[in-house]
Amino acid sequence: MSEERSNRVDGQPCDPRVHPTQLRGGHAMSRRLRRSLVLTTLLAFLVAISGAAALTGRAADAPSTTVDGIDVDATTIPELQAFMNSRQLKSVDLTNFYLGRIRQLNPILNAVITVSPTALADARAADRARRNGDHRPLLGIPIIVKDNIDTTGMPTTAGSWALAGSTPGDAFIAQKLKAAGAIIIGKANLSEWANFRSGPSSSGWSGIGGQTNMPYVLDRNPCGSSSGSGVVAAADLAVAAVGTETDGSIVCPSGANGDVGIKPTLGLWSRAGVVPISANQDTAGPIARNVTDAAVLLGAATGVDPNDAATADQAGHAFTNYTQFLNDQALQGKRIGVWRAGTYDPTLVGSVVEPILDNVKAALTAEGATVIDPTDIDLSATANEFGALLCEFKTDIATYLHTYVHGTNPVSGNAYPQTLADLIAFDQAYPQLEGPWNDLVFELAEQTNGRDNDCAHLRKTTTPPVQRAIDQLMAKNNLDAIVALTNGPAWPTNDDPNLGDLNGHFEYFVGSSTAAAVSGYADITVPAGYDEGLPLGVTFIGGRWAEPKLIGLAYDYEQATHIRVPPQFIPTIGDALFPGVPNPPALLRLRPQQATQGQRDFGARMR
């Protein structure tokens, strides 16, 4: 495979004007705006291409994942390193493979917004370093990070044209990943502004990137907001990916796309240089096809960052190598609780998801664990979560913009937005780029006073009670971890701005992210089963700094079950919201005004 291929799709520079986003809610850019943007972002190539045409027929039949005789889909990072150390594989060949996969599949998946113009040069440098005796854990490993993480040489846009062309230097975690030898070959699409803009919304949609499609069934939603990162890992567009989460945005797209995802303890990974929602809940984390790779990435990006005070608490609790905790007998003698109440509606979807949860319990028991069912987490204190996030966001997004976003926006020709009010004004000025979704969440946040005493009270009545609820439940039952379903089957993507995710029927939603998200504790999701070919995950939840134990438990479960199968890129399986469960009657569809509160509550779980 030649290493001289350019970062193009179908031989052409990726240009959103050539491939309009009308089917995803946007419109083609004007010629003037396109020229301005190209001049500003010469070193980055936008790869937002409509997959609508591809959805009308079958995608390429499970394109090969073999490089130099090695099936990279089934190969871990340590195994790839062994192949490269023995000269059976070069980083440049691996990188070329992933760039080719992006060219081939991104027109269907819309998972990648930007491809690094230095990817091949970085790979050649990694190969030279290896020949000189370099053996860093991620040396020469191509990864993709979510497009709300600052990366030198590529724009960081959060999917919004309001930040088009903004190119801050590397975030702390990007620096750490590169220091470990990783090659960041691109930026992943996402729910715009990490799904904290509109209500309703379509997870995986952004103004710049369009609608991300999940690779198992192409007209289904990949969940969000780390939609592109989840698809990147599942569809082998990179070895692994990095997502971010405020509540559900690592674990849900990981579960929905058959991946492993780790939402770390708050403060294990720095948030400096990451577009925020709230410093009280935000964290980045790894998304990979297996527990081993997730563990490798997790250790590579730990570290105390003077620009993120929360990271100081990791001293004595963090590790640079979490692979030491991979143990296929970790479940032996452990006590695992099962959380059901509030994670799904048993009368509506129980007939589909409870057999999967029963299989999880059986696997845990077979591995020597004692299962305590039920052990439900009291989340009554999370009633104030959304209100806290609103006021925290107003302050935190302005801080990010003031700190990292400078210069002139090539779309507007004016200075980049510096406040939430500026972002709202931009969306109002450019509905052809940022429609059809509204700014409801933005507007609700703007109506707050930001981080004032009332905001602090909302947080105080939210996070500490949830931490106590988890701590007390685990102590009372002497638990090593709690398991719960991560997600339900992916729903058909709906670009109707009055309906969005789940067609507004949030009673079908399955999820358990809020406990770890609000508490700031760790969790990890692993593939658990399938519904009509759509992946479902199981989440292992622990206490603060519980990553070593959770990685061991998740690895044991993974090795005992081997649930994951690669995606087949099936165009459609029909319009069932939740396969195996009847769709709601048309007369029961929620009216927009009735759905508003449900949309807010649902959206607060998927940031």
Side-chain angles (χ1 to χ4, degrees), residues 513-555:
S513 63
T514 297
V518 170
S519 64
Y521 291 172
D523 64 2
I524 177 171
T525 182
V526 186
Y530 294 85
D531 177 18
E532 297 290 332
L534 300 169
L536 279 75
V538 61
T539 296
F540 289 76
I541 304 165
R544 196 180 190 204
W545 313 119
E547 286 84 358
K549 178 178 285 188
L550 294 179
I551 286 170
L553 300 177
Y555 180 76

Side-chain angles (χ1 to χ4, degrees), residues 163-214:
L163 296 188
S166 175
T167 53
D170 282 334
F172 182 85
I173 57 173
Q175 294 174 20
K176 296 289 288 186
L177 291 167
K178 290 179 177 180
I183 303 171
I184 300 178
I185 65 169
K187 306 290 286 290
N189 199 6
L190 69 163
S191 308
E192 187 171 304
W193 295 109
N195 209 15
F196 210 71
R197 174 197 161 192
S198 68
S201 65
S202 178
S203 293
W205 181 93
S206 72
I208 287 182
Q211 177 63 55
T212 310
N213 300 309
M214 66 98 72

Side-chain angles (χ1 to χ4, degrees), residues 302-323:
T302 61
V304 176
D305 178 5
N307 293 316
D308 184 351
T311 61
D313 291 343
Q314 70 178 255
H317 302 287
F319 299 85
T320 57
N321 177 15
Y322 283 91
T323 63

